[in-house]
Amino acid sequence: MTTPLLEIEDLDVDFRLPDGDVAAVKNVSLRIAEGETLALVGESGSGKSVTSTAILRLLPELAHTRGAIRFHGEDLLSVSNRRMRELRGDRIATVFQEPMTSLNPLHRIGDQVAEVLRLHRGLRGKRARTKVIDLLDQVGIPDPARRVKSYPHELSGGQRQRVMIAMALACEPELLIADEPTTALDVTVQAQILALLKELQQRYGMAILFITHDLGIVRHFADRVCVMRQGELLEQGATKEVFATPRHAYTRALIDAEPSGEKAPVPEESPLLLEARDVWVRFTTRRRWFGHDDHFAAVRGIDVTLKRGQTLGIVGESGSGKSTLGRALLRLLESRGDIRFDDSDIAHLDTAAMRPLRKRMQVVFQDPFGSLSPRLTVGEIIGEGLRVHHPELKRADRDTRVQEALEEVALDPAMRRRYPHEFSGGQRQRIAIARALVLKPEFLLLDEPTSALDRSVQATVIDLLRELQRKHDLTYLFISHDLAVVRALADSVLVMKEGRIVEQGTTRELFDHPREPYTRELMRAAFLSDAA
């Protein structure tokens, strides 16, 4: 048997905390051959990222590691720090999940890529700049000679991830560790990044350790797959075999966690709850001393109708205007056009006039950790809306309503005394839903509410939203770039691009027979076989 490029044998990682040791990785063994793509999959907390970080020797001091990690037969856990710095970024490189936090916001991207070349290849000045421009060109950055002077905030999410890939490939590594490199990206950008990684892998002959919780990507991208849960390696094998005949029940559960099912249509006689005509949203991009200011139209002449109990899905890439439209319909942004809610004209109401309607129109945002105050307990967070809209309630009555809201989202009411950081991502999203439900709204704007969650957690949140809608006759405006989730939840779908509607129709019609090339492109990028 040929010697593998990377071999992990009996790896254990414990975190030594004040209240006891936590075993994050337990007796993990795996191999990666030269030029191979191995996917390491599992839910959050399964030990995937800890395993990859152990390879790079970047674990915090409180981590205690045992076992062996051999790269070309050299044990990385035993080599000196100096030797690891030589290997890290040179022969072993990594691409992280969120490029905005991985890139230094104070330095131009050209300088950040050049730093890798200076440290590992000794390149400086004109030679380094030429190489940087070539790398940016390889990863598909437009006009790379100009973009070397850009700062990270001046690039899109996909472009920032391409810069991270350029940095990783600067020294032509033998092993690339890609830790959730596409999770924060739109499906079309995700497909472009995956195609780019495959192309560059073939060009450089490198191996890829691909860490993800998205089995749809794994099915199309990896040669072999390893499944982890609670620090243990449960199953590994060729990707086709694992997907066709999974041996472990947990692997089967992950595969089955893909969003499925279809929403029952609302009755024809259901009354309209929300109706909007010719909605425009413009932002001022530049103010001038003389002449007219420069404007950008983020939403351009959109019509929307929603019946009680209906779910309208809005899909499209970042920058398509999805979230801007949703906020405009709830009068959270200034807009032009007609907007009626429950037969009341709300298009021209000011903040004070809208306040009584707010309890009937609630929002659940994408990132529950960012939208929940870390300084308040869960009970205080959920009860905040009651204090604003129902000041007549006594503290005991308010607390009763908070407990009822927690029970509605399948959380223990005793948890109301905890803080957001004490909960998992899925639990935090349930808390965000409870905060909206406590006011007994009729309409919910759900803005990417499942995009930051594992597939299995997504499935439970989707089931919860379905049940709540049936129970309370809720109306949803569901914004997402995850077409599989939209297909499972929505009655009808509106596809947006550059502020305009490209295509709309019932969910079944649109997914079974998409008419527009852009819609078909979205579905191909999401690996939906109906669009293949």
Side-chain angles (χ1 to χ4, degrees):
M1 183 183 292
T2 57
T3 302
L5 175 69
L6 181 82
E7 183 178 22
I8 299 176
E9 186 174 357
D10 300 329
L11 177 66
D12 292 309
V13 179
D14 298 330
F15 288 96
R16 295 183 171 173
L17 304 175
D19 54 351
D21 291 359
V22 175
V25 175
K26 310 168 190 175
N27 198 35
V28 166
S29 297
L30 58 86
R31 294 182 170 201
I32 304 176
E34 294 184 4
E36 179 184 40
T37 299
L38 174 70
L40 194 57
V41 304
E43 297 171 293
S44 296
S46 62
K48 309 184 301 294
S49 294
V50 173
T51 301
S52 69
T53 308
I55 296 170
L56 296 163
R57 286 257 300 269
L58 291 175
L59 290 169
E61 291 185 3
L62 54 82
H64 181 68
T65 307
R66 297 180 302 278
I69 302 175
R70 288 184 283 270
F71 182 71
H72 279 303
E74 185 177 19
D75 189 357
L76 301 182
L77 297 181
S78 303
V79 299
S80 66
N81 289 334
R82 179 177 179 179
R83 175 58 177 158
M84 270 309 303
R85 284 193 296 270
E86 291 173 355
L87 293 171
R88 199 187 297 133
D90 183 7
R91 298 174 67 190
I92 305 174
T94 187
V95 177
F96 294 107
Q97 175 176 350
E98 181 44 72
M100 194 59 182
T101 57
S102 302
L103 294 170
N104 191 321
L106 302 178
H107 293 279
R108 301 178 193 274
I109 62 168
D111 295 335
Q112 297 188 56
V113 179
E115 185 178 16
V116 180
L117 297 168
R118 178 178 59 80
L119 290 173
H120 294 287
R121 291 292 184 268
L123 294 184
R124 288 177 170 81
K126 185 178 289 187
R127 291 177 62 203
R129 176 183 167 82
T130 300
K131 179 66 174 176
V132 168
I133 292 172
D134 179 56
L135 285 165
L136 294 180
D137 184 52
Q138 286 186 46
V139 298
I141 296 291
D143 196 3
R146 182 176 63 87
R147 280 301 193 183
V148 292
K149 300 177 182 179
S150 297
Y151 290 93
H153 72 272
E154 298 178 287
L155 305 179
S156 68
Q159 288 174 331
R160 287 194 292 265
Q161 196 61 286
R162 288 172 186 269
V163 172
M164 288 295 299
I165 294 171
M167 292 174 65
L169 298 180
C171 298
E172 301 182 12
E174 297 171 74
L175 173 64
L176 177 67
I177 299 174
D179 191 352
E180 300 274 11
T182 62
T183 299
L185 305 177
D186 293 328
V187 288
T188 49
V189 180
Q190 172 182 280
Q192 294 164 12
I193 294 296
L194 293 174
L196 173 65
L197 286 173
K198 271 298 183 187
E199 177 192 337
L200 295 171
Q201 181 182 33
Q202 294 169 0
R203 183 182 305 176
Y204 293 113
M206 65 184 177
I208 297 178
L209 175 60
F210 194 87
I211 298 168
T212 185
H213 64 258
D214 191 333
L215 270 71
I217 293 176
V218 172
R219 190 194 296 265
H220 293 81
F221 189 72
D223 302 307
R224 289 192 306 116
V225 59
C226 294
V227 181
M228 289 189 71
R229 184 189 186 193
Q230 296 178 355
E232 297 182 275
L233 192 58
L234 300 182
E235 182 169 355
Q236 58 181 305
T239 302
K240 288 184 179 179
E241 293 176 5
V242 170
F243 275 83
T245 55
R247 297 190 302 274
H248 200 282
Y250 177 71
T251 308
R252 167 54 62 190
L254 285 179
I255 295 171
D256 291 343
E258 292 295 305
S260 60
E262 194 173 275
K263 183 182 177 299
V266 297
E268 284 291 329
E269 64 273 14
S270 292
L272 279 178
L273 180 65
L274 180 74
E275 184 176 19
R277 299 293 177 197
D278 196 28
V279 175
W280 287 77
V281 179
R282 288 186 173 89
F283 296 107
T284 300
T285 56
R286 184 181 178 186
R287 296 196 177 276
R288 299 179 182 273
W289 287 103
F290 303 101
H292 297 291
D293 295 339
D294 292 341
H295 296 280
F296 168 70
V299 172
R300 309 176 183 213
I302 300 289
D303 295 342
V304 173
T305 56
L306 259 172
K307 292 182 176 181
R308 284 189 182 275
Q310 188 178 18
T311 299
L312 173 64
I314 302 182
V315 303
E317 299 169 292
S318 292
S320 62
K322 307 186 302 292
S323 295
T324 302
L325 174 61
R327 285 162 170 76
L329 294 176
L330 265 69
R331 300 289 293 123
L332 298 173
L333 284 176
E334 286 297 321
S335 63
R336 195 182 77 195
D338 298 323
I339 304 174
R340 301 188 69 82
F341 180 76
D342 198 18
D343 209 29
S344 297
D345 184 0
I346 65 171
H348 307 293
L349 297 183
D350 60 19
T351 302
M354 277 298 301
R355 189 170 292 119
L357 289 171
R358 291 293 177 210
K359 61 184 177 183
R360 301 174 62 190
M361 312 164 73
Q362 288 290 296
V363 187
V364 178
F365 294 105
Q366 174 177 355
D367 179 11
F369 198 66
S371 63
L372 302 177
S373 172
R375 297 180 176 86
L376 300 179
T377 65
V378 164
E380 291 169 334
I381 289 168
I382 297 173
E384 189 173 18
L386 292 173
R387 287 195 297 273
V388 173
H389 292 286
H390 294 286
E392 74 282 359
L393 287 177
K394 296 179 181 179
R395 177 178 293 185
D397 295 332
R398 195 164 59 234
D399 188 56
T400 298
R401 292 273 292 269
V402 168
Q403 292 185 59
E404 290 172 351
L406 284 168
E407 287 175 345
E408 286 251 82
V409 298
L411 290 177
D412 185 351
M415 292 179 171
R416 69 191 186 281
R417 296 184 178 89
R418 299 183 188 176
Y419 289 87
H421 72 271
E422 299 179 75
F423 294 86
S424 68
Q427 288 174 322
R428 286 195 292 264
Q429 197 59 286
R430 288 172 182 267
I431 292 165
I433 295 170
R435 177 177 60 180
L437 288 178
V438 76
L439 293 172
K440 303 187 184 304
E442 300 159 58
F443 176 76
L444 279 185
L445 167 61
L446 301 161
D447 194 352
E448 301 275 12
T450 63
S451 64
L453 306 177
D454 293 330
R455 273 301 192 201
S456 56
V457 181
Q458 274 189 4
T460 63
V461 173
I462 290 168
D463 289 341
L464 172 65
L465 290 171
R466 283 172 170 161
E467 176 59 28
L468 292 171
Q469 186 170 44
R470 282 194 296 267
K471 186 176 180 180
H472 300 293
D473 197 26
L474 291 170
T475 304
Y476 293 154
L477 185 65
F478 191 88
I479 296 171
S480 182
H481 66 256
D482 190 329
L483 275 72
V485 173
V486 171
R487 181 165 61 178
L489 270 177
D491 295 277
S492 56
V493 180
L494 186 152
V495 182
M496 289 187 68
K497 182 181 182 183
E498 296 176 352
R500 292 188 173 91
I501 295 176
V502 173
E503 184 171 355
Q504 59 184 318
T506 67
T507 303
R508 179 174 291 183
E509 289 171 350
L510 193 135
F511 278 86
D512 289 350
H513 306 290
R515 299 186 306 273
E516 297 298 321
Y518 178 70
T519 309
R520 293 196 291 270
E521 180 188 351
L522 285 178
M523 293 184 183
R524 279 193 296 268
F527 305 122
L528 296 175
S529 58
D530 294 6

